Amino acid sequence: MAIYPTVILPGYLAGARDYFPLQQALEESGCPSRVVPLRVKDWIPTLGGRAVTPILQALQATIAATQAEFASPKVNLVGHSAGGWIARIYLGSVPYHGQVWAGRRQIASLVTLGSPHTSQERWTLTNLNFVNDHYPGAFWPEISYVCIAGESVLGCRWRWTSLPQPWLSWLAYSSYQLTVGVGDIWGDGITPISAAHLDGATNLTIPGIFHSSRGGRPWYGSPPALNTWSGYLQ
């Protein structure tokens, strides 16, 4: 049975080019895919916790174009990092800065990759509170929610430690603490496991997976991880 095409929504301050290898890998596995054509500068209007409306507009246009290209009633939506919780706004029916997106009619499954679905960081708090107040957990029963976390870095507050990756562990500690208030836990180096999962979703944790592919590290688009979550595409 053919599966719906997939739309990939990049993470915060990331451009579409970073996700072309993931797009290619999905297509080679038989899943037609398109990346929301964002550039780094497209994120500038959202800085400081402002509305992510420009990203939602780009997402809406890409979904419509993908549906038309493949004559498909629905698409699968893959959101990396902040793209995961931004996608949850797109699904919703409550006005967000004056606009209702109601995208759930177009989405078969939502797969989030290392997405911080909760945060205590003040710049993201307003937007994330909107999401979690109005659409807690795997909110829409007609959509398959799959949330993927990576388990590669244990946070440590000390730069000099016996851990294998002391600098990564120190940076992870800071990021985890900003996200959930605790730093000495496991995650993908940016997002702790607990924040990457949603109540009611299919929650998976993949050992050895980092938040991004920088430095040639295995990440959510690498074969071991991709082979784990791509099977959940509808």
Side-chain angles (χ1 to χ4, degrees):
M1 180 183 294
I3 63 175
Y4 294 121
T6 293
V7 171
I8 303 167
L9 181 59
Y12 191 59
L13 293 177
R17 184 175 298 181
D18 296 334
Y19 297 84
F20 288 163
L22 173 57
Q23 176 188 1
Q24 181 179 354
L26 283 170
E27 292 186 334
E28 289 174 352
S29 70
C31 178
S33 305
R34 296 293 179 264
V35 183
V36 179
L38 295 173
R39 300 160 296 180
V40 173
K41 69 178 184 180
D42 294 327
W43 292 92
I44 292 176
T46 74
L47 295 177
R50 287 177 284 183
V52 294
T53 303
I55 310 304
L56 292 165
Q57 291 170 337
L59 173 60
Q60 183 181 57
T62 304
I63 289 174
T66 303
Q67 286 181 284
E69 179 182 356
F70 295 100
S72 179
K74 293 188 177 185
V75 301
N76 295 301
L77 183 52
V78 174
H80 174 233
S81 195
W85 61 258
I86 292 173
R88 292 168 61 204
I89 296 177
Y90 180 73
L91 300 179
S93 57
V94 176
Y96 174 78
H97 291 270
Q99 187 164 354
V100 175
W101 299 94
R104 68 187 183 280
R105 301 183 186 96
Q106 304 161 297
I107 308 302
S109 66
L110 171 62
V111 178
T112 67
L113 308 175
S115 296
H117 292 295
T118 61
S119 180
Q120 298 181 15
E121 203 276 321
R122 63 174 183 153
W123 300 118
T124 59
L125 201 55
T126 299
N127 282 314
L128 271 172
N129 281 349
F130 175 88
V131 177
N132 290 319
D133 287 346
H134 293 294
Y135 317 114
F139 187 78
W140 301 104
E142 66 268 37
I143 294 174
S144 171
Y145 289 76
V146 182
C147 300
I148 313 298
E151 185 179 24
S152 57
V153 185
L154 175 64
C156 179
R157 67 183 302 177
W158 308 113
R159 299 187 189 188
W160 307 112
T161 170
S162 60
L163 291 173
Q165 306 163 100
W167 279 96
L168 285 178
S169 296
W170 176 73
L171 291 171
Y173 182 94
S174 300
S175 182
Y176 300 165
Q177 190 173 49
L178 275 175
T179 304
V180 296
V182 180
D184 52 350
I185 53 178
W186 283 93
D188 63 13
I190 297 295
T191 304
I193 294 170
S194 59
H197 289 165
L198 275 177
D199 288 343
T202 298
N203 294 310
L204 305 174
T205 300
I206 306 178
I209 295 301
F210 291 81
H211 192 74
S212 75
S213 60
R214 291 174 185 169
R217 302 184 187 103
W219 79 297
Y220 297 100
S222 298
L226 181 61
N227 292 339
T228 298
W229 61 260
S230 62
Y232 289 90
L233 298 175
Q234 299 295 299

